[in-house]
């Protein structure tokens, strides 16, 4: 049951990544300039105080983590981050292969 839930979340993230890829592509066709929506800007537009609280929490526990990992992820396009997270969840929680020749106890 949990595996199915995480696969559903992965599928929704993958679909959201596709939506943002279409959104950025439509903006490129309209403006004739290629600009990707950054994940940090998207998160800031959704809920600014949660991003600031997350930054304060990370900097209080591991200050090096903010500049070396999280800042890089926040600068990536939304479709790439959501798509990779969706694919990762779909692969990690895929159904088990059926066993052939013996039974599982």
């Amino acid at each position: 049951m949990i595996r199915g839930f995480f696969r559903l979340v992965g599928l929704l993230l993958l679909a959201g990544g596709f939506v943002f890829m279409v959104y950025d592509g439509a903006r490129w066709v309209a403006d004739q300039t290629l600009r990707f929506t950054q994940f940090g800007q998207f998160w800031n537009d959704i809920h600014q105080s949660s991003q600031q609280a997350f930054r304060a929490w990370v900097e209080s526990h591991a200050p090096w983590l903010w500049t070396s990992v999280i800042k890089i992820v926040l600068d990536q396009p939304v479709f790439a981050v959501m798509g990779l997270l969706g694919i990762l969840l779909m692969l990690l929680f895929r159904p088990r292969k059926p066993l052939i020749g013996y039974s599982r106890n």
Side-chain angles (χ1 to χ4, degrees):
M1 177 124 171
I2 299 290
R3 183 179 294 156
F5 174 72
F6 281 115
R7 283 186 55 85
L8 175 68
V9 170
L11 188 65
L12 291 174
L13 283 172
L14 200 58
F18 181 72
V19 166
F20 271 97
M21 187 168 42
V22 169
Y23 173 73
D24 289 339
R27 197 168 54 180
W28 173 58
V29 168
D31 295 358
Q32 295 298 320
T33 57
L34 186 59
R35 292 179 304 152
F36 295 118
T37 307
Q38 292 181 347
F39 185 67
Q41 184 62 38
F42 171 67
W43 188 4
N44 195 19
D45 291 344
I46 297 297
H47 198 262
Q48 184 175 12
S49 62
S50 69
Q51 184 181 13
Q52 293 170 352
F54 179 69
R55 180 177 183 170
W57 181 79
V58 168
E59 287 180 343
S60 69
H61 289 1
W64 57 271
L65 190 64
W66 181 260
T67 56
S68 62
V69 177
I70 297 174
K71 184 91 166 122
I72 294 170
V73 171
L74 290 176
D75 290 338
Q76 300 307 312
V78 176
F79 73 88
V81 174
M82 289 177 81
L84 284 176
L85 282 175
I87 290 171
L88 184 68
L89 284 175
M90 298 272 294
L91 287 176
L92 284 175
F93 294 100
R94 66 181 171 217
R96 293 183 184 158
K97 292 182 181 177
L99 297 174
I100 300 173
Y102 58 93
S103 65
R104 187 178 311 177
N105 292 334

